[in-house]
Amino acid sequence: MWNIEKVEKMADKVAIITGGNSGLGLETTKFLDSKGVKVIIAIRNKEKGDKIIREFNLKNTIAMELNLASFESIKRFSKQFKTDYKQLDYLVNNAGVMMTEELKTEDGYELQFGTNHLGHFLLTKELLVSLEKTSESRIIILSSLAHKWGKKKINFENINLTGEYDRINAYSQSKLSNLIFAMELNEKLAAKNSNIKVIACHPGFPKTNLQRELNIVTKFFTNLLSQESDLGVLPSLRAITDKNLKGGEYLGPNGIGE
């Protein structure tokens, strides 16, 4: 049985964590840093990442600029990483935006779908070569219980939800896309005997800065019902460190309503 207290040092490993400067991403960063992992926080504002690194005295962590709402930024980040590093053990697709007003990415996609799914899809594609060159590498994709919300489907005919935008349904569509992507990618990689395992996870209902877009009533119930980030991060940490996982799992809390 996996136990966080039994995770050994991982000093020879390299990890990229998108949004590793706050919430679940920060908890993941702090844990891996404490185990000796070389962690790259992928963040839109590098100065904020540098500030977090100093604040928490993260000795094995650096920040690199990445805007998941920009294909150009993703390609630039990936090129720089592949120049600087010869291995990638863990790609943790953690960052996301939640229930925003109707906005577009730099490339013209609805912001939640474009950031949460398309941005991570392209980042994963660009970094597959580094993951393939690293033995026993893993891709961790954070979905959410929100994949059950909204219309519970992807609107391929109107992917930007133009004329029918609803922030909850848009977020649900992005999280469902994350989950389908994880399952399908793992299946395709396994079929060609790849060394990469893809594992999806969700944190249950944690208190993070994603809730900044919620209205005051929803925030009240969030604070009442949610759990702290140090508990919500456990599925991510297990997805990264549990040696018994086969790939294709979807990990999350086992309490009432997950």
Side-chain angles (χ1 to χ4, degrees):
M1 179 66 72
W2 179 81
N3 187 323
I4 192 172
E5 303 297 334
K6 296 180 181 180
V7 176
E8 301 173 350
K9 287 289 184 179
M10 306 156 68
D12 59 339
K13 306 296 186 182
V14 175
I16 292 173
I17 304 176
T18 65
N21 62 302
S22 64
L24 299 174
L26 177 56
E27 294 300 323
T28 306
T29 296
K30 287 159 58 179
F31 181 84
L32 294 184
D33 184 276
S34 73
K35 296 298 180 180
V37 177
K38 180 67 175 179
V39 179
I40 294 92
I41 295 176
I43 179 176
R44 284 202 306 176
N45 187 325
K46 184 178 181 299
E47 291 182 359
K48 287 185 178 180
D50 292 336
K51 181 179 179 181
I52 287 292
I53 289 168
R54 292 192 299 269
E55 181 180 343
F56 290 95
N57 193 26
L58 301 173
K59 300 182 183 300
N60 302 300
T61 299
I62 67 167
M64 288 177 62
E65 183 179 322
L66 171 66
N67 179 5
L68 286 165
S70 166
F71 292 166
E72 180 182 353
S73 175
I74 293 166
K75 291 177 180 178
R76 184 168 57 247
F77 170 91
S78 302
K79 182 178 180 180
Q80 186 62 54
F81 175 84
K82 287 182 282 190
T83 298
D84 295 344
Y85 295 91
K86 303 304 179 187
Q87 71 182 81
L88 177 56
D89 298 271
Y90 312 114
L91 173 59
V92 185
N93 290 338
N94 165 85
V97 293
M98 179 181 180
M99 299 187 196
T100 64
E101 59 183 288
E102 188 172 7
L103 297 169
K104 297 288 179 61
T105 67
E106 185 178 291
D107 304 281
Y109 293 96
E110 186 276 313
L111 183 64
Q112 296 187 79
F113 181 77
T115 301
N116 299 351
H117 174 59
L118 292 181
H120 281 122
F121 184 102
L122 179 59
L123 179 66
T124 302
K125 175 180 178 293
E126 293 291 316
L127 294 174
L128 272 178
V129 63
S130 297
L131 291 155
E132 290 280 11
K133 291 192 298 185
T134 307
S135 62
E136 299 183 348
S137 57
R138 294 188 179 191
I139 300 168
I140 313 302
I141 298 178
L142 268 75
S143 183
S144 166
L145 290 176
H147 80 265
K148 302 177 181 179
W149 303 351
K151 296 184 178 180
K152 302 181 183 179
K153 66 177 183 178
I154 300 171
N155 189 340
F156 291 106
E157 291 72 32
N158 184 13
I159 204 68
N160 283 342
L161 304 178
T162 304
E164 55 180 297
Y165 183 78
D166 173 85
R167 63 177 65 196
I168 294 176
N169 190 48
Y171 183 63
S172 175
Q173 176 174 261
S174 74
K175 292 289 102 181
L176 179 58
S177 299
N178 289 154
L179 187 55
I180 292 173
F181 175 44
M183 299 300 107
E184 182 70 12
L185 180 58
N186 187 75
E187 186 175 312
K188 288 182 179 297
L189 290 172
K192 66 174 191 174
N193 296 316
S194 172
N195 57 287
I196 305 170
K197 294 178 182 177
V198 186
I199 301 159
C201 57
H202 75 83
F205 194 18
K207 294 176 184 176
T208 72
N209 62 357
L210 278 178
Q211 281 84 20
R212 62 184 176 270
E213 297 290 340
L214 302 180
N215 62 45
I216 189 168
V217 175
T218 308
K219 284 183 178 179
F220 170 78
F221 285 105
T222 294
N223 290 328
L224 182 66
L225 299 173
S226 60
Q227 62 184 355
E228 299 298 334
S229 292
D230 58 351
L231 293 176
V233 75
L234 292 178
S236 297
L237 297 183
R238 184 182 176 192
I240 294 167
T241 62
D242 188 345
K243 297 178 180 179
N244 293 317
L245 296 177
K246 306 296 185 183
E249 292 90 349
Y250 185 32
L251 307 178
N254 62 358
I256 296 173
E258 299 181 78

